[in-house]
Amino acid sequence: MLIRDIEKNLRPREKALLYGINKLNEYELLAILLRTGPKNKGVINLAFKVISSVGGVINLVNHTHNSLTKIKGMGEVKTLE
């Protein structure tokens, strides 16, 4: 799903501004941090894939830069952000 395909008030950034950051789920929060996703896949899908791969956003701290770059769409720069 691409950001442009989501109703404007339901997009992660707009949703955070309208309703507060605490109304976002894990993958919406990560999508804001990642900013962009792979071509034709979208940042929401990438964020969901990352969180699914690591077992939840809380487990991101347990993963190295090298392990995160193995997730398709997570390049060198994204794993540092």
Side-chain angles (χ1 to χ4, degrees), residues 50 53-56 58-68 71 79:
V50 169
S53 295
V54 301
I58 197 158
N59 292 322
L60 277 171
V61 297
N62 299 324
H63 289 268
T64 64
H65 169 76
N66 288 337
S67 69
L68 291 173
I71 300 170
T79 57

Side-chain angles (χ1 to χ4, degrees), residues 32-71:
I32 289 173
L33 294 174
L34 293 173
R35 296 183 318 215
T36 62
K39 190 175 184 178
N40 299 324
K41 294 282 184 183
V43 70
I44 298 283
N45 289 333
L46 177 58
F48 189 78
K49 188 176 185 181
V50 169
I51 288 172
S52 296
S53 295
V54 301
V57 75
I58 197 158
N59 292 322
L60 277 171
V61 297
N62 299 324
H63 289 268
T64 64
H65 169 76
N66 288 337
S67 69
L68 291 173
T69 58
K70 292 177 183 169
I71 300 170

